[in-house]
Amino acid sequence: EHPMTGSSSGKRQIGDGEMNKQERKIEQNKSYTEVKRATETQSKKLLGIDSEHKLRSENLPFDIDVWYPRLKRHTYKSFFLPLTRREAQAILNHYQTAYLARHRLRRSDVQVLEALERTLDKLFWKRFRGKSAFLRLCGRSPKDGDPLDKTKVWAMYTKQLKEISGKNAFTQKGAYREIDVNLKLRAIGRVNYLSVSNGAEALALLLSSERVYTDLHDWLRHGEPEQIVLREWDEDMRVDREFRVYVHQSKICAISQYDHYTYYPELAQHKATIEKLIREEWAKIHLEVGIHSYCMDFVYIPAAEKSARVRMIEISPFLPCTGPACFSWTKDRDVLEGRSPFEFRLVEEKKYGKEDEQKQQQHQSLLTQIVEANWDRRWCAQSADNDDNNNGHFSIGTETRYYKEIWGELGLIRGGGKDAKSMAKWSGIARRVAFSCGLGVASFLAFRTAASSSLASSFTSSPFSTSVIGHRRAFTAISVGVMISFLLSIIHFSKDYNNSRQSSRRPLEREEEEEEEPPAAAGRGIALFVYGTLKRGFHWHGKFLQRNADYIGKGKSVEKFPLVFGSSGVPYCLYDLKGSGYQVEGELYWVDEETLEGLDEYEGVIKKHYIRRKIKIEAEGDGISVGAFVYFKSSSNEELKALEFHPRYSLSYHKKNYDAIRHIQVKQQLYLEDEHGEGRFGVDLKLG
């Protein structure tokens, strides 16, 4: 997989190929709970092969929403938007319709996606004020997706290519010029098209990415929700400046150039400086990571010698599922695990020596094919007619259609034809246009009023008084114009807010209800009591309770339960010791079915890590008791039973002791491996 473009040279089907006919029949005919149990059996089979499900399961403890709250001061500022199941399903339906020739997209899906676009617009306006952001999901980025405007990408690429090689990409007659493949790769390394500034640009990438399709399909089938992540944009963060650091048992054992395809001649002279800066920055971060072995990516930001710096981008598991870059997980295992001396590897100008010229030629041929499939054929078709140097002669590949054009062709929206893309281009600045129009009207009225006043002053014996009147009229006109433009903006915002709220709050449709599901209380939802990391201000509140939950207030259990804290700082409420300990304190919420379903997946109810039980909760203040669902540890070992019991899990304890990476490692190790063995993450499961 190329680090810049991903592996896809075309869209392929991921999810349904891993599902057999018997499973599809089960999905159609059995209840939701039975389907989940059947899916769990199937997922165990997928863990036994190198499947996408296994890849995501191994990477889950290192998703950005796991480590970011603890390490945010060391990396780029990031904002999270939890996806609902309806939004995820709508994205899947669009992808299947657009790329897999399966007509799954419905009008309701389009409404959900339009609401998501408006929600993203508001997030961009609130957090970035018109500036760009780097787009990704929690697990990975949609770097195989198609941006809204492909011509911009091609223009950036040809500009960089000319700067590096001194040649235009095309001859004067429009033929594609033969340029050394390494020069092309260097130009690619300077282009980053994952920069987005509005909802339309973000959706264009999300809806066309096979990686996004794969991860969302895995979520809806096997659990573990996804979020859209918008990260602070940095023009200096380019793939040709990225490096991967391999940390084993709290020691840097190796460093590699991240882009393992491309030879960058300028890196060799900065190698010592880069290593020094990485080691210094890593020393500041390591103790806060909370685990001993992992991979960490840095970006090198060159400047004057004294101000050059590095910045942490992300971390990933110390497992073969993480790309080895210039190393090999099999051949270089001793280096990566510190049994051999430290190495810092860069791509050399020639991968093979003179004695093996044939292998060198084969390697160059492979790189040429990768660039042609993942770059040339991907980007330039839409740009050919607009390039000044090609005279319209060059055209390869297929044009990517804007997603609203597809909706219009299917009759799912009005006016969704060829003009949809140009309309979207202006949608991000519609509010500013409305405001500017109002100011324009105000200026015109002010000028006209002032001119009339000046004219009148020439025919009167009291020019001073008429001038004052004129200025007052001008001021009044400006004020009226500003008020009109402000009201137009308010109306536009309120309309979008109501539409997006109604769509995002709509419950997930399902044929059968879960057997344990109680009816919603007075139409308000299902009562849920949380006592740990789901409380307000705690690590997982935003992901699971931010969009579809209503806070009721504080409360405590009527019965006593032992609340203990595991070694990763996560609280466990032990159901099998009911009657011991204290009345457990926490928070009450109204949630919908979709939110409860997502929490069941997160807590591992089907996987039998937790159980969900309805107990009596005493609301704080009025003393009224309500029946609410609570998640309990399904079974407790002797080590957990021996821990101290507590009445509450405080925010101060959480911030000081909660280790999110290790917590999810424990959960995933129970899922991936035999809980009696040490497992691939090397964590002790006894104390969680």
Side-chain angles (χ1 to χ4, degrees):
E1 175 175 307
H2 189 272
M4 186 67 185
T5 62
S7 60
S8 73
S9 55
K11 308 297 182 183
R12 64 187 177 92
Q13 182 177 337
I14 292 292
D16 291 336
E18 298 171 348
M19 183 171 62
N20 56 37
K21 293 180 180 178
Q22 182 181 2
E23 190 178 356
R24 281 196 291 269
K25 187 176 180 181
I26 290 173
E27 192 171 42
Q28 292 171 359
N29 299 325
K30 292 194 174 182
S31 69
Y32 171 78
T33 305
E34 290 173 314
V35 168
K36 277 295 180 184
R37 286 171 182 157
T39 303
E40 193 63 27
T41 301
Q42 179 71 7
S43 67
K44 286 291 185 182
K45 296 178 183 178
L46 293 176
L47 295 177
I49 60 175
D50 289 331
S51 64
E52 291 286 348
H53 177 58
K54 179 183 177 182
L55 176 68
R56 186 168 183 255
S57 298
E58 290 178 337
N59 277 281
L60 204 66
F62 295 86
D63 279 5
I64 186 173
D65 57 356
V66 177
W67 57 262
Y68 177 77
R70 193 166 186 170
L71 302 179
K72 60 184 176 182
R73 69 189 185 95
H74 300 291
T75 189
Y76 294 95
K77 187 178 294 185
S78 304
F79 300 95
F80 299 82
L81 177 67
L83 282 168
T84 66
R85 296 180 70 88
R86 282 182 61 84
E87 290 166 345
Q89 188 61 61
I91 292 172
L92 295 185
N93 289 346
H94 172 91
Y95 189 94
Q96 290 185 330
T97 301
Y99 300 106
L100 304 182
R102 296 185 169 197
H103 300 292
R104 303 285 178 83
L105 196 66
R106 299 168 298 176
R107 192 179 299 274
S108 59
D109 295 322
V110 169
Q111 292 171 349
V112 168
L113 293 173
E114 287 178 325
L116 177 60
E117 182 180 329
R118 291 192 293 269
T119 301
L120 285 166
D121 278 334
K122 293 181 182 67
L123 184 58
F124 276 109
W125 180 256
K126 180 179 179 182
R127 299 297 187 184
F128 298 98
R129 296 296 181 185
K131 296 181 180 179
S132 297
F134 179 87
L135 174 73
R136 61 170 294 167
L137 295 185
C138 288
R140 51 185 177 175
S141 66
K143 63 184 178 183
D144 60 334
D146 296 321
L148 188 63
D149 188 357
K150 292 173 69 175
T151 60
K152 286 174 59 179
V153 180
W154 185 252
M156 286 189 288
Y157 169 60
T158 52
K159 178 183 177 182
Q160 293 297 334
L161 190 59
K162 184 177 181 180
E163 185 177 312
I164 293 171
S165 66
K167 300 177 182 178
N168 289 319
F170 299 98
T171 65
Q172 291 183 350
K173 294 182 178 180
Y176 191 51
R177 193 185 298 276
E178 289 293 329
I179 299 176
D180 179 71
V181 67
N182 194 74
L183 294 178
K184 289 184 178 182
L185 287 168
R186 287 172 60 189
I188 291 171
R190 297 185 179 187
V191 177
N192 200 328
Y193 53 89
L194 296 180
S195 165
V196 294
S197 58
N198 56 55
E201 291 179 351
L203 268 192
L205 286 168
L206 294 171
L207 293 175
S208 60
S209 169
E210 184 181 289
R211 295 168 129 226
V212 170
Y213 173 78
T214 302
D215 289 350
L216 295 185
H217 182 279
D218 189 82
W219 159 26
L220 296 186
R221 187 141 196 86
H222 305 288
E224 307 300 344
E226 274 289 357
Q227 302 189 77
I228 294 174
V229 187
L230 298 174
R231 308 198 73 188
E232 174 190 358
W233 179 252
D234 185 352
E235 293 291 345
D236 291 319
M237 191 173 75
R238 306 185 325 206
V239 72
D240 59 330
R241 297 172 179 171
E242 290 186 39
F243 298 87
R244 176 154 288 171
V245 179
Y246 300 85
V247 179
H248 185 68
Q249 296 301 317
S250 300
K251 183 177 83 171
I252 294 181
C253 300
I255 301 176
S256 172
Q257 175 183 324
Y258 180 77
D259 177 5
H260 54 284
Y261 286 99
T262 311
Y263 167 63
Y264 297 105
E266 66 274 12
L267 290 182
Q269 61 182 317
H270 299 296
K271 188 175 180 181
T273 301
I274 293 169
E275 180 184 342
K276 177 177 177 291
L277 291 172
I278 285 176
R279 288 186 178 276
E280 290 174 352
E281 187 67 17
W282 173 79
K284 301 174 186 175
I285 301 172
H286 174 64
L287 292 179
E288 297 180 40
V289 176
I291 57 174
H292 303 297
S293 300
Y294 51 88
C295 299
M296 182 175 285
D297 293 345
F298 288 90
V299 60
Y300 169 64
I301 303 172
E305 196 62 33
K306 292 184 179 180
S307 58
R309 59 193 176 94
V310 298
R311 199 168 186 186
M312 192 264 280
I313 302 173
E314 62 182 351
I315 59 178
S316 48
F318 191 84
L319 291 172
C321 62
T322 297
C326 294
F327 293 92
S328 166
W329 283 105
T330 52
K331 296 178 182 178
D332 300 313
R333 195 82 192 188
D334 286 344
V335 176
L336 297 177
E337 294 184 352
R339 291 186 292 272
S340 294
F342 165 84
E343 289 189 37
F344 186 170
R345 292 186 183 177
L346 300 175
V347 175
E348 298 179 357
E349 186 172 8
K350 288 194 174 182
K351 187 178 179 69
Y352 302 97
K354 292 182 179 180
E355 67 281 357
D356 211 337
E357 193 65 32
Q358 185 178 358
K359 282 189 176 181
Q360 181 66 33
Q361 290 177 359
Q362 291 175 348
H363 178 66
Q364 290 295 107
S365 176
L366 175 63
L367 291 180
T368 301
Q369 292 175 33
I370 290 174
V371 171
E372 183 178 323
N374 288 279
W375 200 262
D376 292 344
R377 294 188 182 278
R378 183 178 175 189
W379 299 120
C380 64
Q382 206 171 9
S383 312
D385 296 334
N386 300 323
D387 197 288
D388 293 333
N389 299 313
N390 65 7
N391 299 320
H393 296 308
F394 184 74
S395 181
I396 59 175
T398 56
E399 181 177 344
T400 300
R401 293 178 298 167
Y402 174 49
Y403 56 89
K404 286 190 178 178
E405 294 177 30
I406 298 174
W407 300 349
E409 290 169 8
L410 294 173
L412 300 178
I413 59 172
R414 293 180 180 178
K418 294 183 178 180
D419 295 333
K421 193 168 186 175
S422 60
M423 289 171 64
K425 182 179 179 181
W426 297 100
S427 64
I429 58 171
R431 298 179 184 88
R432 279 176 285 178
V433 169
F435 194 82
S436 300
C437 287
L439 289 179
V441 171
S443 301
F444 173 75
L445 291 174
F447 175 78
R448 184 176 178 182
T449 304
S452 300
S453 300
S454 300
L455 185 63
S457 66
S458 63
F459 295 100
T460 180
S461 59
S462 181
F464 176 77
S465 61
T466 54
S467 176
V468 170
I469 293 172
H471 286 306
R472 287 177 178 175
R473 289 177 178 176
F475 178 77
T476 302
I478 292 173
S479 301
V480 170
V482 170
M483 289 179 65
I484 292 172
S485 60
F486 181 73
L487 287 173
L488 287 172
S489 299
I490 291 294
I491 293 170
H492 191 82
F493 270 103
S494 62
K495 182 180 178 182
D496 277 357
Y497 176 78
N498 290 330
N499 289 338
S500 61
R501 182 170 176 82
Q502 289 173 7
S503 180
S504 64
R505 297 283 296 179
R506 194 177 292 117
L508 179 68
E509 295 177 1
R510 202 166 64 209
E511 291 186 5
E512 285 195 50
E513 299 296 328
E514 229 176 302
E515 294 175 359
E516 287 189 320
E517 196 84 10
R524 291 174 292 183
I526 302 163
L528 175 72
F529 178 74
V530 298
Y531 54 84
T533 59
L534 293 170
K535 293 192 294 184
R536 292 187 301 176
F538 289 68
H539 191 107
W540 295 112
H541 175 83
K543 182 172 185 177
F544 293 99
L545 297 178
Q546 176 178 312
R547 294 187 72 181
N548 288 347
D550 294 322
Y551 177 70
I552 301 173
K554 295 182 179 180
K556 61 182 178 181
S557 62
V558 174
E559 297 179 272
K560 292 181 179 180
F561 294 94
L563 180 66
V564 300
F565 304 154
S567 57
S568 58
V570 65
Y572 298 107
C573 206
L574 310 181
Y575 191 76
D576 52 355
L577 294 183
K578 182 170 63 173
S580 305
Y582 302 90
Q583 289 177 281
V584 177
E585 299 175 16
E587 296 174 350
L588 271 168
Y589 291 87
W590 294 120
V591 299
D592 58 16
E593 298 169 6
E594 178 182 337
T595 303
L596 197 67
E597 183 179 314
L599 286 169
D600 281 353
E601 292 170 347
Y602 165 70
E603 302 287 5
V605 172
I606 300 295
K607 300 170 186 175
K608 299 182 179 177
H609 299 161
Y610 278 81
I611 57 174
R612 175 161 53 84
R613 294 288 181 265
K614 190 176 183 182
I615 65 171
K616 289 289 184 181
I617 301 297
E618 181 183 319
E620 186 178 79
D622 52 22
I624 297 175
S625 295
V626 297
F629 278 130
V630 185
Y631 290 97
F632 294 93
K633 184 74 172 170
S634 58
S635 60
S636 51
N637 55 41
E638 294 303 319
E639 287 78 10
L640 286 177
K641 292 177 182 178
L643 294 174
E644 180 183 356
F645 298 165
H646 301 271
R648 74 187 65 83
Y649 181 66
S650 68
L651 184 59
S652 59
Y653 180 91
H654 174 77
K655 289 182 176 179
K656 182 179 179 181
N657 297 283
Y658 180 60
D659 186 343
I661 296 177
R662 193 178 183 283
H663 174 206
I664 306 303
Q665 278 186 330
V666 169
K667 192 176 77 160
Q668 289 306 102
Q669 186 163 305
L670 283 169
Y671 177 55
L672 290 162
E673 309 258 350
D674 186 334
E675 62 181 288
H676 301 295
E678 194 172 70
R680 68 193 71 195
F681 294 119
V683 294
D684 182 7
L685 302 176
K686 293 179 180 178
L687 291 176

